[in-house]
Amino acid sequence: DMSFHLVFTGNPGTGKTTIARILAKIYKQLGLVSKGQFIEVDRSGLVDHFAGGTALKTTNVINRAIGGILFIDEAYSLASNSENDYGREAIDTILKAMEDNRDDFIVIVAGYTELMDRFLHSNPGLESRFNKFLEFRDYTAEELYDIFILMADEANLWVDKAGCKYLEEYFDRLVENKPANFANGRAVRNLLEEVLTAQANRLAPQKEITDEELNTLTFEDFLVDENED
């Protein structure tokens, strides 16, 4: 018998949830789980405000996940040093379910690398059951550029030459000065939304708008970020 429980570590927007969903389908095809459903929760979906409520709430989530994958995002938030916190009750309930249903229940916990390390060391049961780690590294500037172009293409948009050059320089600066909790793909999505808003504001005064204009993001649309700075 092998354990297939996993720890996903890394910053937001690096694809942890997406990969977990894909794994649920793969594990189902391999026969490692019977149903292959994907249940995603965070602390709010497991922890109750009253004594005894957390065990019931967590058990209900586990029952939905048996036969597939339970994905716990920001799992480190369950471990608290407070005596009045019921997060540890959720952990204990999950650990018991992992033991009782080891043949048809897989848990993936995810979160920031350093915080997840503390989380796993907070409970001997966690250390013993989670021994497979997958680190999701931050995207490079080139990868962030490719993600933006892909998102634009999926929306039937294309970026003009000057806009592409701006994007390359923008992502170079972003990666060079990124914060510790850099949002990666989410940051790209936010930028695209800002640019789309700028494009709409630019085109709104025109009486007639061609399909080409509607489907083109220009250099001018990207300057919204510079103006906000």
Side-chain angles (χ1 to χ4, degrees):
D1 291 341
M2 293 183 63
S3 171
F4 294 95
H5 307 300
L6 293 164
V7 180
F8 285 1
T9 60
N11 280 330
T14 47
K16 296 187 292 295
T17 305
T18 299
I19 295 301
R21 287 196 184 101
I22 294 172
L23 278 177
K25 297 177 182 178
I26 292 174
Y27 286 165
K28 170 64 169 63
Q29 292 299 317
L30 293 175
L32 301 176
V33 291
S34 60
K35 299 177 183 177
Q37 74 273 31
F38 177 80
I39 305 299
E40 178 185 359
V41 294
D42 55 15
R43 177 187 168 89
S44 64
L46 299 170
V47 178
D48 198 65
H49 299 296
F50 305 99
T54 293
L56 178 61
K57 193 172 185 179
T58 301
T59 298
N60 289 336
V61 172
I62 291 170
N63 288 338
R64 290 167 51 212
I66 289 177
I69 284 181
L70 174 62
F71 180 79
I72 307 174
D73 196 17
E74 298 181 349
Y76 51 81
S77 63
L78 294 174
S80 172
N81 295 323
S82 172
E83 295 182 359
N84 297 321
D85 185 83
Y86 300 120
R88 293 187 180 277
E89 185 179 356
I91 294 174
D92 292 339
T93 305
I94 292 167
L95 290 175
K96 184 177 185 305
M98 291 168 68
E99 183 65 26
D100 294 344
N101 305 277
R102 66 174 106 187
D103 295 330
D104 202 19
F105 179 50
I106 294 174
V107 179
I108 299 178
V109 291
Y112 294 111
T113 302
E114 183 177 342
L115 293 176
M116 287 304 294
D117 184 64
R118 295 179 190 170
F119 167 68
L120 294 173
H121 286 89
S122 70
N123 186 309
L126 291 171
E127 286 188 275
S128 64
R129 287 173 176 81
F130 290 99
N131 55 14
K132 293 181 176 65
F133 298 80
L134 185 60
E135 179 185 1
F136 288 69
R137 298 179 180 176
D138 286 343
Y139 291 118
T140 65
E142 292 78 11
E143 289 168 335
L144 293 171
Y145 174 88
D146 290 341
I147 291 171
F148 186 98
I149 296 300
L150 179 62
M151 287 181 175
D153 183 65
E154 289 176 344
N156 294 317
L157 298 166
W158 72 281
V159 184
D160 69 8
K161 186 175 181 180
C164 287
K165 180 174 176 56
Y166 173 88
L167 272 177
E168 291 175 352
E169 296 173 349
Y170 173 83
F171 287 127
D172 281 339
R173 296 195 307 269
L174 190 62
V175 168
E176 187 175 345
N177 301 287
K178 64 184 177 183
N181 58 343
F182 179 51
N184 289 278
R186 296 180 191 175
V188 177
R189 186 184 302 111
N190 291 339
L191 175 63
L192 179 59
E193 291 176 357
E194 291 174 1
V195 172
L196 284 172
T197 299
Q199 183 213 38
N201 291 334
R202 173 173 59 83
L203 296 177
Q206 297 181 199
K207 293 183 178 180
E208 295 183 2
I209 302 173
T210 66
D211 288 343
E212 182 178 358
E213 288 176 320
L214 193 61
N215 294 334
T216 303
L217 300 177
T218 69
F219 172 73
E220 182 181 350
D221 300 325
F222 290 93
L223 296 181
V224 60
D225 181 74
E226 301 291 340
N227 294 334
E228 288 179 357
D229 291 343

